[in-house]
Amino acid sequence: MLQAFNQNITSTGTLTLQKRIDSIDILRGMVMVIMALDHTRDFFHSVANIEDPLNLQTTSPLLYFTRWITHFCAPVFVFLSGTSIYLQSLLKTKNELSAFLLKRGLWLIFAEIVIVAFGITFNPFYNFILLQVIWAIGISMVILALLIRLPFNAILILGLIIVFAHNLLNIPESDPGFKSNFWWDLAHNGGGVSLDKNNTRFIAILYPFVPWTGLMMVGYCAGKFFTPEFTAARRRKILVYVGLSLILLFIVLRYMNVYGDPLPWKPQRNGMYTLLSFINVDKYPPSLLYMCMTIGPAFLMLALVENMRNSFTNIMRTYGRTAFFYYLVHFYLIHLLCAISFFARGHNLQQAIDSAKNLPFLFLIPGEGVSLTTVYLIWASVVIALYPLCRWYDKYKTNHKEKWWLSYL
C-alpha cells in the first residue's frame, strides 16, 4: 500500500525518517495471509455457500474460528492505510498529498469495480458488483484528501466520534418501519441494490463507508506514534496501553449487552459456544465492538514485532510491502484453481454459466467442495505460491522508484 518509513533506531531509541516501517509491513503482511484463508474457504469448502460459519446452531469451533480469525484483516488493513497516509504527510505538502489521495482513492474504487469484481466472479458481464475493502479504502482516501487540511486534533476527534458513535444509527435502522435507500446503504446500512427494473444487475454494498472512514482517520492520527517525536520505548508503551484498553473496553461493553453492537450475545449450550456468541460481533457494517476487538490486538502486535527480526517476519514483511498487488493476484489464483477443480469434477462451461444464475460466481456450485482440512492445504499452497511473485514485485518496486505508477500498486 502507501509508502511509509523504514524503522531505524538510533542510540537514543528514536526513529529516523527513512523508507518504511517494518512493524507496519509485518502486521499488514500477516493479515493479508490470514485473509486468503477466508477467501479460499469461500471458493472451496463444501458448505461455504450453504451455511454461515458463524451460525452457532450449525457450525463447529474449527469452522467458526476459520471464519472469525479473518475478522482482523479488513480493519487492520484500513487502519494501517490511514497510518501510512500520515507518514506520507511528512514527505509531501498538503496539496501534493491531497492530490495523491484523490487520484489513488478513485483508482482503488475503479479497481474494486473492474479488476477485483472480475477476479471474484469471473463474470465478464459485470452484472454483480461487490463493494468491499478496496472500495472502502478508496472512498475513505477521497474523503481524507479533503480532511487532511483540517488540524490534526480535529481529524482525531471527528474520527473518534464516527468510530464510537456510528452505532447510534442502528437505532433507527432497527425500527420495523425503517426504509433505507441507496445513499443510506452506501453510507452505513449496507445491503444489495438493484441497478435496473428487471433485477438483472446488482451492487452488494458489504462495506458501507462511514465507519471505515472513521477508522482510517483514527489510523491516520496513530501514525504520529511512528515519528521521531516518540522513542521506541515510549511508542511500545503507548501501543500496549491502547491495545489493552481497547480489549478491556470490548469485554466490558460486550458483557453489558447495551451498546456497541447490534447483535447481543446469549448463553449457549456450553461454555465454548457461549464464548463464540460473546465474540460474534457485527462486521457489516463494522460495529464499535468489532473495531475494538480487532484493533486492540493489532496495537499489541505492532509493539511485539517492532524489534523482531527472523525468517517469519521477513516473509510477512514481503507480503506487507506488496499488499495491494497480493490482494489482486490472490483472488485470480484462488478462483482459477476453483475453475480447474470445477472441470476436474466433470462439469462443463454451460453448467458454470447456468449455475451463475443462482450464485453470481462462476465455477461454484453450492454443496460441492472439499473438507476444511483440504481448504487449509489449498490456502497454504496459495500463500506459498504467491511469495516468489511478491518478492519479485517488491524488488522491482525498490529498483524502479522513478516509475510513478508503482505508487498506485
Side-chain angles (χ1 to χ4, degrees), residues 28-43:
R28 184 184 286 126
M30 291 171 65
V31 299
M32 298 307 292
V33 169
I34 294 171
M35 172 199 65
L37 173 60
D38 193 46
H39 297 156
T40 303
R41 181 191 61 81
D42 283 335
F43 281 100

Side-chain angles (χ1 to χ4, degrees), residues 58-70:
T58 59
T59 193
S60 67
L62 179 59
L63 177 58
Y64 181 98
F65 281 109
T66 299
R67 169 58 178 147
W68 180 86
I69 191 65
T70 62

Side-chain angles (χ1 to χ4, degrees), residues 187-336:
H188 188 263
N189 191 52
V193 179
S194 177
L195 298 179
D196 58 29
K197 295 180 179 179
N198 297 323
N199 293 327
T200 59
R201 294 183 178 276
F202 290 90
I203 291 181
I205 306 170
L206 297 183
Y207 283 64
F209 71 88
V210 168
W212 294 107
T213 300
L215 184 60
M216 179 179 282
M217 293 166 65
V218 176
Y220 171 88
C221 296
K224 193 169 185 178
F225 298 142
F226 295 90
T227 65
E229 182 180 342
F230 292 83
T231 65
R234 183 184 177 199
R235 177 173 52 259
R236 286 196 298 271
K237 183 177 181 180
I238 293 173
L239 292 175
V240 170
Y241 176 79
V242 174
L244 292 176
S245 297
L246 288 175
I247 293 172
L248 179 61
L249 179 63
F250 165 76
I251 294 172
V252 171
L253 287 182
R254 187 59 170 162
Y255 180 79
M256 293 172 63
N257 247 354
V258 174
Y259 179 76
D261 194 273
L263 305 173
W265 69 277
K266 299 177 182 178
Q268 302 295 316
R269 57 185 179 270
N270 58 43
M272 170 60 73
Y273 279 82
T274 297
L275 172 63
L276 300 187
S277 176
F278 191 83
I279 62 176
N280 185 21
V281 288
D282 197 19
K283 180 181 180 181
Y284 306 108
S287 68
L288 166 62
L289 293 184
Y290 172 86
M291 288 189 272
C292 289
M293 180 185 74
T294 54
I295 299 301
F299 270 90
L300 298 182
M301 187 59 65
L302 283 171
L304 177 65
V305 303
E306 178 162 320
N307 294 323
M308 187 181 296
R309 297 296 177 271
N310 52 44
S311 298
F312 174 77
T313 58
N314 289 339
I315 292 171
M316 293 302 108
R317 185 174 64 242
T318 297
Y319 289 127
R321 287 169 62 92
T322 58
F324 184 49
F325 175 80
Y326 171 102
Y327 185 86
L328 294 178
V329 175
H330 96 286
F331 268 124
Y332 282 82
L333 177 56
I334 293 173
H335 206 158
L336 178 61

Side-chain angles (χ1 to χ4, degrees), residues 37-213:
L37 173 60
D38 193 46
H39 297 156
T40 303
R41 181 191 61 81
D42 283 335
F43 281 100
F44 281 97
H45 194 212
S46 57
V47 298
N49 299 291
I50 297 176
E51 298 178 1
D52 179 2
L54 300 180
N55 184 344
L56 299 183
Q57 305 307 312
T58 59
T59 193
S60 67
L62 179 59
L63 177 58
Y64 181 98
F65 281 109
T66 299
R67 169 58 178 147
W68 180 86
I69 191 65
T70 62
H71 277 350
F72 288 86
C73 302
V76 173
F77 201 28
V78 173
F79 185 88
L80 293 183
S81 294
T83 302
S84 296
I85 291 170
Y86 181 84
L87 297 174
Q88 279 279 311
S89 72
L90 303 180
L91 294 176
K92 289 179 168 59
T93 66
K94 292 290 187 182
N95 288 338
E96 289 172 339
L97 183 59
S98 180
F100 175 77
L101 291 176
L102 178 61
K103 290 183 289 185
R104 182 168 172 78
L106 292 175
W107 153 246
L108 290 178
I109 294 172
F110 172 84
E112 178 80 278
I113 295 173
V114 177
I115 303 174
V116 178
F118 184 76
I120 295 174
T121 66
F122 274 10
N123 184 346
F125 301 105
Y126 286 94
N127 59 340
F128 186 80
I129 302 297
L130 288 164
L131 295 184
Q132 300 190 100
V133 66
I134 300 301
W135 135 264
I137 293 175
I139 188 62
S140 297
M141 284 184 174
V142 171
I143 295 171
L144 204 54
L146 302 175
L147 296 181
I148 59 169
R149 300 182 184 280
L150 295 176
F152 177 89
N153 287 341
I155 297 175
L156 176 60
I157 292 171
L158 181 57
L160 290 174
I161 289 175
I162 294 174
V163 167
F164 280 88
H166 82 90
N167 278 123
L168 292 173
L169 298 177
N170 294 136
I171 298 174
E173 290 173 354
S174 63
D175 190 291
F178 175 78
K179 292 184 178 180
S180 185
N181 57 51
F182 174 78
W183 298 109
W184 185 275
D185 290 340
L186 198 66
H188 188 263
N189 191 52
V193 179
S194 177
L195 298 179
D196 58 29
K197 295 180 179 179
N198 297 323
N199 293 327
T200 59
R201 294 183 178 276
F202 290 90
I203 291 181
I205 306 170
L206 297 183
Y207 283 64
F209 71 88
V210 168
W212 294 107
T213 300

